[in-house]
Amino acid sequence: MRWRTKKLWDDMFWRVRGFGRKGVAFSAISSIDIALWDLKARFFEVPLYRLLGPFTDSVPIYGSGGWTSFTEDELVREQVGYVERGIRASK
């Protein structure tokens, strides 16, 4: 079985591109495209992001806090806690 998901999308796009208001048609194409990619991932028993080609295997994190209700000591403890857990950035 050949999976030509990108070709199918391209064919659908060019068939509706020249017709009046395209919003509904493009929404339908999107729905079909998502379903085809999901079906393909299920068929090959891999997560969808693997089929799409992940950019990276990890994502950096940052600590988010600094609530205005915190005292200065609480803010310092929060930031020190981020550093102790290996979190290298915060906002």
Side-chain angles (χ1 to χ4, degrees):
M1 176 184 302
R2 251 181 122 170
W3 291 87
R4 297 171 29 168
T5 312
K6 293 176 183 178
K7 167 110 174 57
L8 291 170
W9 182 93
D10 198 53
D11 289 346
M12 290 185 288
F13 173 83
W14 287 106
R15 286 182 189 266
V16 301
R17 186 174 175 270
F19 295 107
R21 298 175 66 108
K22 296 170 271 302
V24 172
F26 286 151
S27 292
I29 289 172
S30 295
S31 298
I32 293 167
D33 186 54
I34 290 167
L36 288 172
W37 280 103
D38 184 58
L39 185 62
K40 187 175 182 177
R42 290 171 188 254
F43 179 83
F44 289 111
E45 298 180 351
V46 297
L48 179 56
Y49 78 93
R50 290 270 184 225
L51 288 178
L52 298 174
F55 176 74
T56 183
D57 288 328
S58 65
V59 177
I61 64 168
Y62 65 89
S64 180
W67 310 110
T68 57
S69 61
F70 280 11
T71 65
E72 186 175 332
D73 288 339
E74 290 171 319
L75 289 170
V76 169
R77 273 197 306 275
E78 178 184 56
Q79 296 304 310
V80 168
Y82 292 148
V83 172
E84 288 172 346
R85 289 179 287 186
I87 300 171
R88 301 186 333 173
S90 68
K91 69 172 189 118

